Amino acid sequence: AMLHGKLQAGVFDMMIGLLHGEEPCLVTAALMDTPFRVVARHGHPILRQSRVGLAQLEEYSWVVTSPGSCRRAAVDRLFEGRHFPHTPIVTCSVPLTRQLMMQSNCLTLMTTFELQHQSEFLAPVAFDEVPSAPPLGVLLRAVGLPTALHNRFLSAVRAQVAKSPSNEALRYAS
C-alpha cells in the first residue's frame, strides 16, 4: 500500500509485483501467472502420498503470512469452513519460511516462481485445489505514461519473461 501511494504520487514511474485487480489511478499489465502450491521440505512424510486431501493438510502446522496478504487470503479460502491448522509462525519472508520448514514438518503456500528458486530445499505437495494467486505484472501511473522509454523497458521485460527457463513453473499471461 505504501509503494502504491508513492507510485500514484509520482515518486517513481512503475513497479513490478503481484497485481491485485484494478487500482485507482494506476494501469496494470500482467506478465505471468505464478500459481500457489502447497509446499513441504524434502523428506517430509506428506510427500510420500500420491494424492493429498484437505484432511491431511489440516494435520500439519503451517507457516503463514500476515492477514491481508494475498497468500494469507488463499490459505484462509483453502480452509474456509474447516478446521484451520495450527500456525505457530507468521512471516512474509521467503528465506525465513524456508529455514523454518527445513527444521520442521510445517507446510506453507508458495508461488511456483518462488518454489522454482527454493526447489533444492522444498517440493510441491500432491494437492491441486489451491486458490489462485494474482498474476505478476507491471503497475504504471495512469497519467502521462507510458512514454517511449517506458514502452522499450516493458518490451525488454516481456522478452526476458518469454525466454525465461520456466520448467513449467510459470504460465505466461495473455
Side-chain angles (χ1 to χ4, degrees), residues 71-151:
R71 186 184 324 264
R72 177 58 179 268
V75 172
D76 291 345
R77 283 193 312 273
L78 183 63
F79 294 106
E80 190 172 31
R82 299 182 60 93
H83 168 73
F84 197 82
H86 180 60
T87 55
I89 306 291
V90 176
T91 181
C92 292
S93 167
V94 173
L96 179 58
T97 297
R98 181 192 68 226
Q99 288 299 88
L100 292 166
M101 295 188 55
M102 294 298 299
Q103 300 168 14
S104 72
N105 279 338
C106 288
L107 303 175
T108 196
L109 279 189
M110 283 190 170
T111 66
T112 52
F113 181 76
E114 292 165 333
L115 181 57
Q116 177 179 330
H117 298 285
Q118 301 296 327
S119 62
E120 180 180 343
F121 311 101
L122 306 173
V125 172
F127 179 81
D128 296 328
E129 302 170 33
V130 180
S132 61
L136 186 64
V138 178
L139 288 93
L140 299 160
R141 284 183 290 119
V143 179
L145 296 176
T147 65
L149 180 60
H150 293 115
N151 283 329

Side-chain angles (χ1 to χ4, degrees), residues 13-84:
D13 291 335
M14 68 177 68
M15 65 184 209
I16 296 175
L18 294 177
L19 304 179
H20 300 285
E22 294 299 315
E23 305 267 351
C25 304
L26 298 177
V27 175
T28 61
L31 294 172
M32 68 182 77
D33 292 321
T34 60
F36 285 129
R37 293 287 179 259
V38 176
V39 178
R41 66 171 171 77
H42 287 291
H44 192 292
I46 202 166
L47 294 178
R48 292 189 288 256
Q49 298 179 29
S50 61
R51 270 288 152 247
V52 174
L54 278 172
Q56 288 91 5
L57 297 181
E58 291 172 340
E59 294 174 13
Y60 294 96
S61 295
W62 281 63
V63 177
V64 296
T65 56
S66 54
S69 69
C70 62
R71 186 184 324 264
R72 177 58 179 268
V75 172
D76 291 345
R77 283 193 312 273
L78 183 63
F79 294 106
E80 190 172 31
R82 299 182 60 93
H83 168 73
F84 197 82

